Amino acid sequence: DVQLQASGGGLVQAGGSLRLSCELSGFTLDDYGIAWFRQAPGKEREAVSCISSRDGSTYYSDSVKGRFSISSDNAKTTVYLQMHSLKPEDTAIYYCAGDRRYGSDWCEPLEDDHLGPGTQVTVSS
């Protein structure tokens, strides 16, 4: 049974850092690429970062490039999103999702991906 669980969200001041974790169950990063998405109130889900299952290549949206970093543990059962220099506009619910198509070449939401519950990130000004 494929499951993903995001955690690590919280309240942080602007300029601060958080590390989100996405725990994979029933599969590893060798099976599916992983995407981090976020959704702010009244807005559509948007891509933040992806990591490929094939070669570990990564993608970052322009809005987070240079501030966020995606990585995994050695067992490839947890994928992290390290976030630095957080801004109020980073406030959103963050989700992780798994699909073979996610990676550096494709990092847009797919209707049939495996999507886990989100974790709230709130950045105060």
Side-chain angles (χ1 to χ4, degrees):
D1 189 21
V2 172
Q3 293 185 357
L4 303 91
Q5 179 66 59
S7 63
L11 174 64
V12 64
Q13 288 187 333
S17 298
L18 280 175
R19 188 177 77 163
L20 305 184
S21 298
C22 176
E23 292 189 30
L24 314 182
S25 178
F27 73 105
T28 72
L29 184 57
D30 284 336
D31 302 308
Y32 290 150
I34 299 298
W36 281 100
F37 299 113
R38 66 187 181 187
Q39 189 165 18
K43 295 187 177 181
E44 293 187 354
R45 180 162 54 126
E46 65 167 336
V48 175
S49 181
C50 284
I51 185 166
S52 171
S53 62
R54 294 185 302 275
D55 58 8
S57 57
T58 58
Y59 164 87
Y60 298 95
S61 68
D62 287 343
S63 61
V64 307
K65 199 173 295 182
R67 300 188 297 122
F68 290 13
S69 177
I70 191 170
S71 64
S72 71
D73 65 350
N74 289 336
K76 297 184 178 181
T77 58
T78 303
V79 174
Y80 303 103
L81 185 69
Q82 179 69 55
M83 307 185 294
H84 295 297
S85 303
L86 283 161
K87 305 175 182 180
E89 50 264 43
D90 294 317
T91 295
I93 299 174
Y94 284 69
Y95 302 86
C96 55
D99 192 274
R100 291 184 178 88
R101 292 163 284 184
Y102 287 140
S104 56
D105 294 332
W106 184 266
C107 196
E108 291 298 323
L110 296 164
E111 289 188 2
D112 56 348
D113 63 6
H114 300 280
L115 184 67
T119 184
Q120 176 72 48
V121 172
T122 303
V123 184
S124 63
S125 58

